[in-house]
Amino acid sequence: LIDNFTSVLRRALSGTFYPVLQQAIGFGSAFEGWTAREEEVVYQVLVPLTPPLGHIFHLERDTDQQKPGRNFRVRVELECRCPREYQGMNMLCFQHHPDVIRRRTRQPNLLDLLCTDSYLDVKKTVHWFCALVGASWRRLPQSRSWHLVLLPSKRICNLRLTNGQESFQVKVLFGVQRRTSDIFISSRHRGAHTPSTMWPETYAMAETKFFRHMARQAPQDSSHLKCLQLLAHVLVRKDFSIHSIKTIIMHLLNTVPVSQWHRRHFLLQLSDALEQLRLSLEKKHLEHFIVGNQRLPEEIRLPPDVQRAKPPNLFHSLAQDPAAHSQAMQAY
């Protein structure tokens, strides 16, 4: 569905200076083979953005230590397309003659369209894409049998599709790839007051790639996904985050021999995961699975700074808040 959308939109955007939409990447539980809820299925996809002709994206790391996680901004620059020896002379290029190009193409550049102070703006980008989706829906074959509703959201394009008998959601995020790695900076919010020009780093695509790798390595009757699904279904009701539960399972998958994930060892797997959760809660420490992990499968590509970084503690808030830690231990 999203690939159909991006294909239609790419044709519509041809000749403009909007971001170039790349093939969508599915991530999260629906693409990993498990789900924590029995409600409406939610598919999450990330649409990578690349700069249009005559533009360059520069990723700038946010150094504000008060903000959680690793965050970036996307500075947009007009590209100099002059031969070096003619730079500064009377030749048309985006950097030196933006007004002439704007007048000749009758198209504003990306700085005019979706940027705030030369930085790509998440909210403007989402609003632009949602408007395109609404205008293009009737061109898709799915529109003949499905009804589309755009749900309100500021940093993602949230779609609900229904056909009278079933329904599902598609949450579309946008991102910029960090070089050729599996790490992206994305439009996902981080906290209630995430600035519109902030793009948090996301590791979700790398995590989904890890689960696909394990699906190829694990025994055919492996129950690691069933174990994850059961734990997530039960523990999320006790206010444990799904991501922390998933992180524990990923650590176990990366350390326990795959031969021990047979279905007959299901209760042992469950016990190991719960014990690991207990130990992590007691220590108030659970290391991020992707950041700083030197033992990932070779096919998962990390930027050098992510690979060398100190793994964040997902239970940092428990270490800072004794009351929250006590509550978490009681919930366990």
Side-chain angles (χ1 to χ4, degrees):
L1 172 66
I2 299 301
D3 284 340
N4 284 352
F5 260 130
T6 54
S7 178
V8 168
L9 297 180
R10 270 198 296 266
R11 289 196 295 270
L13 295 171
S14 177
T16 73
F17 299 122
Y18 283 102
V20 181
L21 306 172
Q22 303 300 317
Q23 185 173 7
I25 304 170
F27 68 93
S29 60
F31 292 94
E32 294 163 357
W34 65 281
T35 178
R37 300 178 178 88
E38 298 175 357
E39 304 159 7
E40 186 176 62
V41 177
V42 177
Y43 296 97
Q44 298 183 86
V45 299
L46 181 137
V47 176
L49 306 175
T50 55
L53 178 69
H55 296 70
I56 303 172
F57 286 169
H58 287 289
L59 274 54
E60 297 181 355
R61 176 87 184 271
D62 188 352
T63 56
D64 187 351
Q65 299 298 318
Q66 300 302 313
K67 296 189 180 78
R70 294 161 54 93
N71 305 293
F72 288 77
R73 296 198 297 170
V74 182
R75 181 161 51 87
V76 178
E77 289 185 354
L78 297 178
E79 182 182 14
C80 176
R81 300 179 67 82
C82 305
R84 182 167 296 180
E85 59 269 27
Y86 298 118
Q87 190 165 337
M89 295 180 66
N90 190 27
M91 295 185 65
L92 286 183
C93 94
F94 284 82
Q95 186 183 92
H96 297 111
H97 304 94
D99 293 334
V100 177
I101 290 178
R102 191 184 289 115
R103 189 166 58 249
R104 288 192 178 181
T105 62
R106 298 181 181 179
Q107 294 287 341
N109 62 48
L110 183 54
L111 287 166
D112 302 324
L113 296 165
L114 302 180
C115 292
T116 298
D117 298 329
S118 299
Y119 290 95
L120 192 61
D121 189 296
V122 170
K123 293 180 182 178
K124 290 180 181 179
T125 303
V126 169
H127 179 77
W128 159 72
F129 184 85
C130 288
L132 285 175
V133 166
S136 305
W137 172 241
R138 292 298 174 190
R139 301 185 204 172
L140 270 63
Q142 289 91 341
S143 66
R144 291 191 287 271
S145 52
W146 291 87
H147 175 64
L148 172 71
V149 176
L150 285 163
L151 302 176
S153 184
K154 292 181 179 179
R155 294 185 66 95
I156 65 172
C157 184
N158 199 356
L159 314 175
R160 171 175 284 138
L161 290 103
T162 57
N163 67 357
Q165 296 179 323
E166 55 183 325
S167 69
F168 63 92
Q169 283 189 55
V170 181
K171 295 188 175 184
V172 184
L173 284 77
F174 305 92
V176 178
Q177 187 177 20
R178 293 204 55 200
R179 299 185 180 179
T180 58
S181 74
D182 293 309
I183 305 302
F184 289 76
I185 60 170
S186 81
S187 61
R188 172 173 281 166
H189 73 89
R190 180 165 279 160
H193 304 291
T194 309
S196 63
T197 55
M198 178 185 288
W199 296 72
E201 194 169 62
T202 179
Y203 317 98
M205 278 53 69
E207 291 176 357
T208 296
K209 198 169 184 179
F210 174 76
F211 274 99
R212 287 174 176 163
H213 169 83
M214 292 309 303
R216 295 191 297 270
Q217 302 296 318
Q220 193 170 5
D221 68 342
S222 175
S223 56
H224 64 279
L225 293 177
K226 190 171 290 185
C227 181
L228 171 55
Q229 183 160 316
L230 177 61
L231 288 172
H233 184 71
V234 172
L235 294 176
V236 76
R237 298 178 181 179
K238 296 178 177 288
D239 291 331
F240 289 103
S241 78
I242 289 178
H243 190 247
S244 63
I245 300 162
K246 180 179 172 181
T247 298
I248 285 172
I249 295 296
M250 288 190 291
H251 278 300
L252 288 173
L253 283 168
N254 210 33
T255 53
V256 175
V258 291
S259 60
Q260 295 186 24
W261 287 93
H262 281 287
R263 187 176 301 169
R264 63 179 178 271
H265 300 312
F266 176 70
L267 291 179
L268 179 61
Q269 297 162 10
L270 208 58
S271 176
D272 285 348
L274 287 169
E275 178 65 8
Q276 191 60 50
L277 175 60
R278 184 186 67 80
L279 292 172
S280 298
L281 286 171
E282 286 182 351
K283 296 176 182 177
K284 309 171 194 173
H285 189 88
L286 175 61
E287 286 192 351
H288 196 283
F289 180 69
I290 297 294
V291 178
N293 192 338
Q294 305 291 325
R295 300 181 65 250
L296 290 172
E298 288 185 7
E299 66 190 80
I300 298 177
R301 300 161 299 173
L302 303 183
D305 63 309
V306 174
Q307 195 166 32
R308 293 192 300 262
K310 181 180 178 181
N313 176 16
L314 300 186
F315 284 169
H316 175 74
S317 60
L318 299 183
Q320 300 295 310
D321 187 344
H325 178 247
S326 176
Q327 186 177 353
M329 291 300 298
Q330 289 176 6
Y332 175 84

